[in-house]
Amino acid sequence: NVLWLKADAINLGDGLSVVTWPDFSGNANNFTVIAGSRPFFRKPWINGFPALTFNGTQYLEDINGINYINGLSQLSIFAIIKCTSSNFDYGFFRSNGILTDDRSLSLRYDVNGANGGGTNGIKLGLSDNRAYESNSNVQTTNPQLINANWVGGSSATLFLNGNPDVPRANSTNLGVSPIADATSFVRIGDGPKGNWSGAVAAIILYNQTINTAQRIIVENYLGAKYGLAIATDRYSYEVTHKYDVAGIGRVDNFNIHNNATSSGILNISNPAGLSNNEYILFGHDNGSIASWTTTEAPSTGIRRISREWRLTETGNIGKTDITIDISQLPVHPDLSCNKYVLLVDTDGDFSSTAVVTDLVWVSGNLYRAPGINTGNGDFISIGTRVSPTASITPDPAQLCVGGTLNMNG
């Protein structure tokens, strides 16, 4: 992705004004206050996660944003929003300086469709002032997941909480490709017909149209995080393990995603038998990764982090490779041993039935366990081995003739 804004990447207290919204994609496409008033950081706001709130006059902008909008010949964009009211023309994403035009790339609520005649819809603006207009009465004051997809020379698609929209206005040749008419800036909280009044929790922009399997996985990530009921729900543990949901899956031969990482630590890849409409999705409980603990350790020679992931498997995918990136984990508690293990458990108590697999160093900070069997509902954690301690009782210097010497270790 070229842009990933998520409010939980901002480190502020509740109610404070936001100067910069950092880009989590790694591309440094940060949004800042250039002029005007600042939006507010509110936490918790949507399902326990923070959001930025805009009052109709506030916005953030990336003055270099036109560099990644112009040149797009296809795209997928996701947004998590919550409007203060419906029946308005509020906009939350704009990339053109002409105030009244739905062009370049823009997303807004649309009270009256100029082309399709709908009311209380959503409008996707594209290059050359061409637009997609959604079905009527889809505006809401509830949190909403919006996804729009476009390939130059073809029509666009829109999904609301994962449900496909039936547009009032679309075209088989919607928008001039590539986009070339973005001017001046890209703004969050601003729109062609009026500024946003409500919350924005996340914006994700890809410079390609992601495939159907990938779209469903992103929807499950956002749905679990923000507590949204989505149309194609492939993850069952949104209540207890809603953090950093990732996954692999397949719709058909052309719509596959087979390599996924959660929170930059746990990666699942190389599925042995990924068939149509099969998925593995996994998220964690936000447990600590700051230290190693003996709590629920499967043996005295193992320490583990508190964080636990949980899997939902749809179908029978078979074995996968599980890779761990230790760069975020604490220093190994026993550098003389320096071994890491993967813990897979069926009941969430790793002290009883956990399967322990030694991880093999791959390169850098990566360790892997190839060909691991996991099942629907399984728990995963990460551990280390520590060297055993040895003791001799009683002290040999005090041993009487005929006494018993016990060596434990």
Side-chain angles (χ1 to χ4, degrees):
N1 50 10
V2 297
L3 177 66
W4 185 4
L5 302 177
K6 56 178 186 175
D8 46 314
I10 300 173
N11 185 20
L12 284 176
D14 179 42
L16 296 180
S17 58
V18 177
V19 176
T20 300
W21 196 351
D23 174 22
F24 200 71
S25 74
N27 295 309
N29 294 321
N30 303 324
F31 281 69
T32 60
V33 174
I34 303 299
S37 59
R38 304 169 181 175
F40 294 102
F41 181 76
R42 302 308 308 269
K43 67 174 184 181
W45 204 248
I46 302 177
N47 198 39
F49 287 92
L52 276 64
T53 58
F54 300 80
N55 66 6
T57 64
Q58 304 158 326
Y59 58 84
L60 297 172
E61 69 181 43
D62 179 3
I63 59 175
N64 298 312
I66 61 173
N67 295 327
Y68 53 82
I69 300 297
N70 285 332
L72 288 176
S73 58
Q74 56 179 301
L75 63 90
S76 290
I77 186 169
F78 292 82
I80 296 291
I81 61 168
K82 185 179 186 297
C83 196
T84 56
S85 59
S86 58
N87 194 30
F88 281 99
D89 283 325
Y90 299 140
F92 54 88
F93 189 95
R94 179 159 76 101
S95 60
N96 188 277
I98 303 175
L99 182 60
T100 59
D101 283 358
D102 294 284
R103 65 169 64 235
S104 305
L105 176 60
S106 64
L107 269 170
R108 68 177 176 94
Y109 273 11
D110 184 23
V111 66
N112 288 306
N115 302 308
T119 57
N120 294 327
I122 294 172
K123 179 172 282 189
L124 167 68
L126 289 165
S127 57
D128 200 34
N129 202 25
R130 303 182 188 183
Y132 173 108
E133 295 175 1
S134 77
N135 205 350
S136 294
N137 301 317
V138 297
Q139 296 184 15
T140 178
T141 56
N142 296 319
Q144 188 175 39
L145 164 56
I146 297 175
N147 163 234
N149 309 279
W150 169 74
V151 176
S154 65
S155 58
T157 58
L158 183 72
F159 294 85
L160 304 176
N161 292 346
N163 294 290
D165 176 66
V166 179
R168 300 290 297 235
N170 201 355
S171 170
T172 56
N173 187 17
L174 184 66
V176 174
S177 178
I179 295 173
D181 56 356
T183 61
S184 305
F185 50 71
V186 177
R187 285 181 178 173
I188 304 297
D190 189 11
K193 296 294 179 68
N195 289 23
W196 189 244
S197 180
V200 179
I203 299 282
I204 306 173
L205 174 64
Y206 296 87
N207 59 359
Q208 61 181 1
T209 301
I210 63 175
N211 68 47
T212 303
Q214 293 168 332
R215 174 182 59 78
I216 290 171
I217 291 167
V218 175
E219 288 170 350
N220 275 264
Y221 155 68
L222 293 170
K225 182 173 183 176
Y226 295 106
L228 301 173
I230 58 173
T232 311
D233 191 348
R234 294 291 181 262
Y235 186 63
S236 302
Y237 304 106
E238 299 94 338
V239 175
T240 57
H241 297 74
K242 64 184 177 183
Y243 297 88
D244 297 317
V245 173
I248 61 175
R250 168 175 164 153
V251 174
D252 53 36
N253 288 337
F254 306 101
N255 295 274
I256 302 171
H257 189 68
N258 57 14
N259 190 317
T261 302
S262 169
S263 66
I265 298 174
L266 178 66
N267 172 273
I268 294 181
S269 65
N270 194 28
L274 187 59
S275 300
N276 290 356
N277 299 313
E278 291 190 334
Y279 296 84
I280 291 179
L281 275 85
F282 52 104
H284 65 82
D285 60 358
N286 205 33
S288 174
I289 58 171
S291 62
W292 302 102
T293 179
T294 58
T295 303
E296 289 188 16
S299 70
T300 57
I302 290 178
R303 307 290 184 268
R304 59 178 287 260
I305 57 172
S306 295
R307 179 169 297 180
E308 298 177 7
W309 284 261
R310 197 163 191 193
L311 282 65
T312 296
E313 181 173 359
T314 302
N316 184 16
I317 292 176
K319 296 180 179 180
T320 62
D321 293 347
I322 299 181
T323 305
I324 305 300
D325 187 331
I326 66 167
S327 58
Q328 297 183 57
L329 302 184
V331 174
H332 196 289
D334 185 355
L335 294 178
S336 65
C337 182
N338 204 34
K339 290 184 178 295
Y340 293 89
V341 294
L342 180 75
L343 309 176
V344 179
D345 188 69
T346 58
D347 62 6
D349 182 358
F350 290 88
S351 64
S352 56
T353 59
V355 176
V356 181
T357 304
D358 285 291
L359 291 158
V360 178
W361 179 73
V362 179
S363 65
N365 292 313
L366 301 181
Y367 289 75
R368 180 173 297 149
I372 298 298
N373 271 317
T374 56
N376 183 43
D378 279 358
F379 298 80
I380 291 179
S381 191
I382 303 163
T384 63
R385 292 193 184 276
V386 294
S387 302
T389 57
S391 63
I392 301 176
T393 57
D395 186 336
Q398 300 174 349
L399 185 66
C400 298
V401 175
T404 301
L405 183 65
N406 299 312
M407 301 185 69
N408 303 308

